[in-house]
Amino acid sequence: MSDCIFCKIVKKEIPNYTVYEDDHVLAFLDIAPRAKGHTLVIPKVHAEHLLELNDELLGFLLFGVKRAQERIDHILQPDGYNVGWNHGEVGGQVVPHLHIHIFPRWRNDGGGNMHSIIDQSGDKTVEDVGKLFKT
Ligand code: 5GP
Ligand code: ZN
Protein backbone atom coordinates (compact mmCIF):
# COMPACT_ATOMS: atom_id res chain seq x y z
CA MET A 1 0.00 0.00 0.00
CA SER A 2 1.61 3.24 -1.12
CA ASP A 3 0.77 5.38 1.93
CA CYS A 4 1.56 2.66 4.50
CA ILE A 5 4.57 3.54 6.65
CA PHE A 6 5.64 -0.09 7.06
CA CYS A 7 5.33 -0.77 3.32
CA LYS A 8 7.66 2.21 2.89
CA ILE A 9 10.10 0.61 5.34
CA VAL A 10 9.93 -2.65 3.34
CA LYS A 11 10.71 -0.68 0.15
CA LYS A 12 13.61 1.06 1.97
CA GLU A 13 11.98 4.46 1.41
CA ILE A 14 12.22 4.89 5.20
CA PRO A 15 15.40 3.61 6.89
CA ASN A 16 15.33 0.99 9.62
CA TYR A 17 17.67 -0.93 11.90
CA THR A 18 17.20 -4.45 10.57
CA VAL A 19 17.26 -7.37 12.98
CA TYR A 20 16.36 -10.06 10.43
CA GLU A 21 15.24 -10.10 6.80
CA ASP A 22 14.33 -12.69 4.21
CA ASP A 23 12.15 -12.79 1.08
CA HIS A 24 8.90 -12.67 3.05
CA VAL A 25 9.62 -10.97 6.35
CA LEU A 26 11.37 -7.92 7.78
CA ALA A 27 12.21 -7.54 11.47
CA PHE A 28 13.46 -4.14 12.62
CA LEU A 29 13.92 -2.10 15.79
CA ASP A 30 10.91 -0.11 16.97
CA ILE A 31 11.55 3.63 16.70
CA ALA A 32 10.09 4.23 20.18
CA PRO A 33 11.30 1.17 22.10
CA ARG A 34 9.50 0.03 25.25
CA ALA A 35 12.42 -2.25 26.03
CA LYS A 36 16.02 -2.55 24.82
CA GLY A 37 15.83 -4.38 21.50
CA HIS A 38 12.06 -3.90 21.06
CA THR A 39 11.57 -5.35 17.60
CA LEU A 40 8.73 -5.42 15.08
CA VAL A 41 8.34 -8.35 12.70
CA ILE A 42 6.23 -7.70 9.61
CA PRO A 43 5.21 -9.55 6.47
CA LYS A 44 6.57 -7.83 3.37
CA VAL A 45 3.12 -7.91 1.77
CA HIS A 46 0.58 -5.48 3.13
CA ALA A 47 -2.02 -7.05 5.40
CA GLU A 48 -3.75 -5.09 8.12
CA HIS A 49 -4.59 -8.06 10.32
CA LEU A 50 -3.57 -11.65 10.88
CA LEU A 51 -6.91 -12.73 9.44
CA GLU A 52 -6.02 -11.06 6.12
CA LEU A 53 -2.73 -12.91 5.76
CA ASN A 54 -2.75 -16.17 3.83
CA ASP A 55 -1.72 -19.31 5.70
CA GLU A 56 1.55 -19.80 3.85
CA LEU A 57 2.73 -16.27 4.62
CA LEU A 58 1.63 -16.69 8.21
CA GLY A 59 4.06 -19.60 8.47
CA PHE A 60 6.85 -17.43 7.05
CA LEU A 61 5.97 -14.67 9.51
CA LEU A 62 6.26 -16.98 12.50
CA PHE A 63 9.53 -18.30 11.12
CA GLY A 64 10.73 -14.67 10.97
CA VAL A 65 9.74 -14.14 14.60
CA LYS A 66 11.87 -17.12 15.58
CA ARG A 67 14.85 -15.95 13.52
CA ALA A 68 14.58 -12.40 14.94
CA GLN A 69 14.37 -13.78 18.47
CA GLU A 70 17.46 -15.88 17.86
CA ARG A 71 19.36 -12.75 16.81
CA ILE A 72 18.14 -10.76 19.81
CA ASP A 73 19.04 -13.67 22.07
CA HIS A 74 22.52 -13.81 20.59
CA ILE A 75 23.22 -10.07 20.67
CA LEU A 76 21.40 -8.81 23.77
CA GLN A 77 20.89 -11.97 25.87
CA PRO A 78 17.62 -10.95 27.55
CA ASP A 79 16.17 -13.03 30.40
CA GLY A 80 12.80 -13.50 28.70
CA TYR A 81 10.33 -12.08 26.18
CA ASN A 82 6.80 -10.99 25.58
CA VAL A 83 5.74 -11.54 21.98
CA GLY A 84 2.40 -10.48 20.53
CA TRP A 85 0.46 -8.03 18.45
CA ASN A 86 -2.23 -5.41 18.77
CA HIS A 87 -5.16 -6.27 16.53
CA GLY A 88 -7.50 -3.44 15.49
CA GLU A 89 -8.03 -0.02 16.99
CA VAL A 90 -9.61 -1.36 20.19
CA GLY A 91 -6.70 -3.75 20.58
CA GLY A 92 -4.34 -0.76 20.41
CA GLN A 93 -3.16 -1.15 16.82
CA VAL A 94 -1.94 2.17 15.45
CA VAL A 95 -0.08 1.18 12.29
CA PRO A 96 -2.47 -0.69 9.97
CA HIS A 97 0.13 -3.16 8.70
CA LEU A 98 0.33 -6.38 10.72
CA HIS A 99 3.34 -6.35 13.02
CA ILE A 100 4.41 -8.67 15.79
CA HIS A 101 6.08 -6.95 18.73
CA ILE A 102 9.02 -8.68 20.39
CA PHE A 103 9.69 -7.18 23.81
CA PRO A 104 12.93 -8.49 25.31
CA ARG A 105 12.61 -8.67 29.09
CA TRP A 106 15.13 -8.43 31.89
CA ARG A 107 14.73 -9.62 35.45
CA ASN A 108 13.36 -6.82 37.66
CA ASP A 109 12.68 -4.54 34.67
CA GLY A 110 9.34 -3.54 36.19
CA GLY A 111 7.21 -4.74 33.30
CA GLY A 112 4.09 -6.90 33.45
CA ASN A 113 2.89 -9.91 31.54
CA MET A 114 0.14 -10.46 28.96
CA HIS A 115 -2.44 -10.57 31.74
CA SER A 116 -1.74 -6.95 32.56
CA ILE A 117 -3.25 -5.85 29.23
CA ILE A 118 -6.85 -6.56 30.27
CA ASP A 119 -8.78 -7.87 33.26
CA GLN A 120 -12.44 -7.60 32.36
CA SER A 121 -14.00 -11.01 31.86
CA GLY A 122 -17.51 -9.69 31.18
CA ASP A 123 -20.94 -10.87 32.27
CA LYS A 124 -20.80 -14.53 31.11
CA THR A 125 -19.19 -17.47 32.85
CA VAL A 126 -16.53 -19.54 31.12
CA GLU A 127 -19.16 -22.31 30.83
CA ASP A 128 -21.60 -19.95 29.05
CA VAL A 129 -18.95 -18.85 26.60
CA GLY A 130 -17.76 -22.43 26.16
CA LYS A 131 -21.27 -23.45 25.08
CA LEU A 132 -21.16 -20.86 22.29
CA PHE A 133 -18.16 -22.67 20.81
CA LYS A 134 -19.79 -26.10 20.81
CA THR A 135 -20.51 -27.28 17.28
P1 5GP B 1 1.01 -0.61 17.30
O1 5GP B 1 0.43 0.19 18.41
O2 5GP B 1 0.39 -0.30 15.95
O3 5GP B 1 0.98 -2.08 17.60
O4 5GP B 1 2.53 -0.23 17.27
C1 5GP B 1 3.15 0.46 16.21
C2 5GP B 1 4.61 0.56 16.53
O5 5GP B 1 5.30 1.04 15.40
C3 5GP B 1 4.94 1.52 17.69
O6 5GP B 1 5.60 0.81 18.71
C4 5GP B 1 5.80 2.60 17.03
O7 5GP B 1 6.82 3.07 17.88
C5 5GP B 1 6.35 1.87 15.81
N1 5GP B 1 6.65 2.75 14.67
C6 5GP B 1 5.82 3.66 14.12
N2 5GP B 1 6.41 4.27 13.09
C7 5GP B 1 7.64 3.72 12.96
C8 5GP B 1 8.73 3.95 12.06
O8 5GP B 1 8.68 4.78 11.15
N3 5GP B 1 9.84 3.17 12.23
C9 5GP B 1 9.93 2.25 13.23
N4 5GP B 1 11.06 1.57 13.31
N5 5GP B 1 8.92 2.02 14.10
C10 5GP B 1 7.80 2.75 13.97
ZN1 ZN C 1 1.70 -1.85 4.55
Side-chain angles (χ1 to χ4, degrees):
M1 227 169 75
S2 59
D3 60 346
C4 168
I5 194 161
F6 284 179
C7 284
K8 286 181 180 166
I9 288 176
V10 168
K11 286 186 273 177
K12 315 288 186 213
E13 291 169 13
I14 296 175
N16 73 88
Y17 292 102
T18 300
V19 171
Y20 171 76
E21 182 170 18
D22 63 28
D23 289 347
H24 306 287
V25 170
L26 178 66
F28 55 98
L29 295 180
D30 195 295
I31 202 165
R34 303 298 297 242
K36 183 171 66 175
H38 178 180
T39 295
L40 303 174
V41 188
I42 67 172
K44 287 193 168 177
V45 298
H46 183 87
E48 185 165 344
H49 303 131
L50 185 74
L51 304 180
E52 284 178 6
L53 196 66
N54 79 45
D55 292 355
E56 188 189 23
L57 293 179
L58 173 62
F60 289 130
L61 182 62
L62 196 57
F63 178 84
V65 169
K66 184 180 181 193
R67 285 288 173 270
Q69 219 176 318
E70 284 171 347
R71 291 219 70 214
I72 297 166
D73 231 36
H74 181 65
I75 292 166
L76 297 176
Q77 292 108 33
D79 299 317
Y81 294 92
N82 296 105
V83 181
W85 57 96
N86 299 321
H87 182 135
E89 189 190 341
V90 171
Q93 183 175 7
V94 174
V95 177
H97 182 133
L98 173 63
H99 49 283
I100 298 183
H101 292 264
I102 301 178
F103 296 99
R105 296 294 303 275
W106 279 266
R107 202 166 300 287
N108 304 319
D109 63 9
N113 65 11
M114 290 282 177
H115 294 76
S116 57
I117 295 173
I118 177 73
D119 186 10
Q120 184 55 259
S121 60
D123 56 0
K124 287 193 188 312
T125 65
V126 175
E127 290 75 19
D128 288 338
V129 176
K131 279 181 201 150
L132 300 174
F133 283 91
K134 278 213 167 124
T135 50

